[in-house]
Amino acid sequence: EVQLVESGGGSVQAGGSLRLSCAASGLNGDDYAIGWFRQAPGKEREGVLCISSGDDSTNYADSVKGRFTISSDNAKNTVYLQMTGLKPEDTAVYYCAATLGTKICPLSADFFEYDYWGQGTQVTVSS
């Protein structure tokens, strides 16, 4: 069974950086797409970025363009979300999610596009 474990969250001041990790197990060599999502207090969960085993990537959130990047280490089955220029509005619980059997990222960040979810890691940005 696929399991996803996020790490790397924490508290930073505005303008700071964090790198989140999503360690995946149970992929069994399958093609995959892994996306990062976030949910701020009182708001709906939104897609951030996605990367696939076919080296496809998709940005779901205009608000993070130029600040967040996604990468993967296939040998470690780990996907990273590098966040720079953090703003207070980036405060949220960040989740990674996976869908198997595909080499491309889902075009939309609809939740049903992803079958497996991690427990999330909190990111807090203070002004």
Side-chain angles (χ1 to χ4, degrees):
E1 182 173 342
V2 175
Q3 291 189 331
L4 304 172
V5 179
E6 303 95 336
S7 62
S11 298
V12 296
Q13 291 190 329
S17 301
L18 281 174
R19 188 178 78 160
L20 306 183
S21 299
C22 173
S25 60
L27 296 178
N28 297 326
D30 285 345
D31 289 316
Y32 64 85
I34 291 180
W36 281 99
F37 292 74
R38 65 184 183 182
Q39 187 166 18
K43 295 188 177 181
E44 294 186 353
R45 193 173 299 189
E46 67 168 346
V48 180
L49 286 161
C50 170
I51 193 166
S52 76
S53 57
D55 291 329
D56 181 39
S57 64
T58 297
N59 189 324
Y60 294 131
D62 289 341
S63 61
V64 306
K65 284 183 179 178
R67 300 189 298 123
F68 291 12
T69 57
I70 192 169
S71 63
S72 64
D73 184 336
N74 291 329
K76 296 182 179 179
N77 283 341
T78 300
V79 171
Y80 303 99
L81 182 66
Q82 180 68 50
M83 306 185 292
T84 62
L86 283 162
K87 304 175 181 180
E89 51 264 42
D90 294 318
T91 295
V93 178
Y94 283 72
Y95 302 87
C96 63
T99 182
L100 302 187
T102 180
K103 290 186 178 181
I104 61 174
C105 289
L107 293 178
S108 72
D110 289 336
F111 304 152
F112 65 80
E113 298 282 3
Y114 291 85
D115 301 308
Y116 306 96
W117 291 80
Q119 294 300 305
T121 185
Q122 176 71 46
V123 172
T124 303
V125 185
S126 58
S127 58

